[in-house]
Amino acid sequence: NDQHQQHNGVLVHFILFILLSCVVQVSSRKLIADQPIQNEVLRNGETKEYVLSELEPLSDYEIRISYPASTPADFQITFIEGESTRRKLFNIEKISFKTDLSGNILGRERAPNGDYAIRVSVKSAGITPTGPADSTHAYNIVLETLFFGVPFDVLTIGGVAMLGILIIGTVIVPQMYALLTSIAKTKKKLQKQS
């Protein structure tokens, strides 16, 4: 009888260990602004939850998932407390939201534990060159801060492009104009001499 109780005690401890491991694993899936999580994997029909961390007040955000087209899939991002406004563009799944003065997401309720959380799910779609769509799907996910409605990286690229146009317009074009004018004057002089 003592061995039976000892066996049950070990079994209870093992079950508690497994449950606590799962809790720790779920709580460690934090999605922090502007820190992408790469090479996440979901099997067909599985879901994964992420807690949104360190949201700033009066900010615009976008949660975006990108994945390779070689493994066709339909990803879906939803807030734990309900459906979300989402947009699919090429191989990118995304949702956008704003925060208020207190850093709360406008129009969203917190999950029962007090956090804002999202759920990512995937379903295989289509056929790959090797046969039916793979049941394992790799993806990257990011919670990105938006500036004027666009990600900072896009603003940086736009700024570099504008700088390039400015340099071309103020330095290169005037030099080319001066060079072409000089060539034209030289050509006219040569024609008058002949």
Side-chain angles (χ1 to χ4, degrees), residues 84-103:
S84 57
T85 305
R86 58 191 201 108
R87 181 177 147 218
K88 190 168 186 133
L89 179 68
F90 301 112
N91 296 330
I92 300 171
E93 175 71 24
K94 59 171 47 176
I95 61 173
S96 300
F97 60 90
K98 297 178 182 207
T99 57
D100 63 13
L101 280 169
S102 303

Side-chain angles (χ1 to χ4, degrees):
N1 200 12
D2 283 340
Q3 286 181 336
H4 189 309
Q5 285 179 337
Q6 191 175 23
H7 178 69
N8 284 345
V10 170
L11 184 61
V12 168
H13 280 79
F14 178 72
I15 291 171
L16 283 172
F17 173 75
I18 297 294
L19 289 173
L20 287 174
S21 296
C22 291
V23 170
V24 169
Q25 190 176 23
V26 169
S27 66
S28 67
R29 289 192 187 129
K30 289 190 176 184
L31 196 52
I32 299 171
D34 304 314
Q35 293 183 14
I37 300 174
Q38 298 185 345
N39 301 318
E40 290 283 272
V41 176
L42 276 177
R43 296 189 59 74
N44 186 36
E46 283 185 338
T47 62
K48 203 177 262 191
E49 294 180 3
Y50 296 88
V51 174
L52 307 182
S53 287
E54 302 177 26
L55 298 176
E56 294 293 324
L58 297 174
S59 296
D60 292 0
Y61 292 98
E62 176 177 89
I63 301 170
R64 188 174 64 241
I65 290 177
S66 58
Y67 54 97
S70 59
T71 56
D74 288 330
F75 280 88
Q76 186 172 12
I77 305 170
T78 55
F79 278 94
I80 298 291
E81 291 297 317
E83 292 300 313
S84 57
T85 305
R86 58 191 201 108
R87 181 177 147 218
K88 190 168 186 133
L89 179 68
F90 301 112
N91 296 330
I92 300 171
E93 175 71 24
K94 59 171 47 176
I95 61 173
S96 300
F97 60 90
K98 297 178 182 207
T99 57
D100 63 13
L101 280 169
S102 303
N104 296 314
I105 298 175
L106 296 173
R108 296 281 167 213
E109 297 292 323
R110 290 183 183 272
N113 66 0
D115 291 323
Y116 287 107
I118 59 164
R119 181 175 292 125
V120 174
S121 59
V122 65
K123 290 187 180 178
S124 296
I127 297 175
T128 65
T130 59
D134 190 4
S135 63
T136 302
H137 302 281
Y139 64 97
N140 301 329
I141 185 168
V142 64
L143 169 62
E144 197 158 28
T145 307
L146 301 178
F147 299 92
F148 306 107
V150 295
F152 183 72
D153 293 347
V154 174
L155 286 179
T156 304
I157 292 168
V160 169
M162 292 301 287
L163 182 63
I165 291 169
L166 183 64
I167 289 170
I168 289 170
T170 58
V171 176
I172 296 173
V173 169
Q175 287 180 356
M176 290 298 293
Y177 180 75
L179 178 65
L180 291 173
T181 304
S182 172
I183 290 172
K185 287 180 183 179
T186 305
K187 187 176 180 181
K188 281 185 181 180
K189 282 183 184 179
L190 290 173
Q191 285 177 347
K192 286 183 182 179
Q193 291 176 355
S194 40

